[in-house]
Amino acid sequence: MNGEDTRDTGGTTGQAEHTAHTADRSYEDLVAEAVAAPTEGWDFSWFEGRATEERPSWGYARLMGEKLAGVDAALDLHTGGGEVLDLAPSLPRLTAATEGWPPNVAKASRRLAPRGVVVVASPDDAPLPFADATFDLVTARHPVRADFPEIARVLRPGGSYFAQHVGPSSVFEVVEYFLGPQPEEVRRGRDPQKEAGQARAAGLEIVDLRAERLRIEFHDVGAVVHFLRKVVWMVPGFTAEAYEPQLRALHERIGKEGPFVAHSSRHLIEARKPEARSSH
């Protein structure tokens, strides 16, 4: 299971055993356990055995690690708790990361400081707190938004933006279960072709653009509760108390029909800042 802004785990190890175990647990026990679970960072190991998500075929973390190994200065945007950046086998001489949520800033700092990474607290909608042409590579995994003019500004000529974004209508089966049908303009948000156009408008050249839709299974109601507590923008203001009738109905549905199935939407985007033109 990985988050909507969120990190890959996936797999089905132990799923049958867990499903049999949770089938005998009460709604109250499952929800209480989910509400008590910590939500900081982008560690999704809590979902092991409780929810699964197919992984994109391209393997973002591996590709990111390969690109980081070949540059001198890199910036990871919206780093969460630093979990994905920390997967890289080697990091550039200068590596920085930004994060907007204070609990994640503290967690990322603890995780990444031993590797020499500077973690900067920066609101998601603020200009990047770095000078022009500072980085060879800017990375992001599930950024809240991609500010392409700012990304282009901090990239050196010849540098690249390499990221995995959440795509349109991602996990909308969950969103619409709780909020009802969403407007078409909301469903079409985060379109990869539109984002590619925004990158081009900022002066970047698209090197790679791939999209996939991937199956998610929630095997108990607690997994849905924890997901919505962690990925807070999916159902704004979500609490187990506020949505108790829908959650109880979902608990009964899973018990009778099996996992609650949804689909995530992901796209890989790589954009390059052109080399500086000679004045001669």
Side-chain angles (χ1 to χ4, degrees), residues 211-223:
E212 293 182 1
R213 198 154 178 83
L214 306 153
R215 182 182 176 93
I216 298 174
E217 294 185 357
F218 294 95
H219 288 259
D220 68 68
V221 71

Side-chain angles (χ1 to χ4, degrees), residues 62-63 74 84-85 167 181 185 191 258:
R62 174 183 57 81
L63 293 176
V84 178
L85 184 58
E185 60 269 24
D191 179 79

Side-chain angles (χ1 to χ4, degrees), residues 68-93:
L68 286 167
V71 300
D72 185 61
L75 169 64
D76 190 48
L77 301 176
H78 304 216
T79 198
E83 294 88 352
V84 178
L85 184 58
D86 196 32
L87 292 174
S90 63
L91 293 175
R93 177 188 60 82

Side-chain angles (χ1 to χ4, degrees), residues 38-50:
T39 58
E40 71 272 10
W42 292 121
D43 177 6
F44 280 69
S45 59
W46 189 90
F47 290 99
E48 182 67 30
R50 311 186 71 131

Side-chain angles (χ1 to χ4, degrees), residues 74-83 85-86 91 94-122 129-130 135:
L75 169 64
D76 190 48
L77 301 176
H78 304 216
T79 198
E83 294 88 352
L85 184 58
D86 196 32
L91 293 175
L94 170 62
T95 305
T98 65
E99 174 55 33
W101 193 42
N104 277 350
V105 174
K107 186 172 184 177
S109 297
R110 290 192 300 270
R111 179 186 292 271
L112 297 173
R115 301 194 65 182
V117 178
V118 177
V119 178
V120 180
S122 178
F130 304 101
F135 301 102

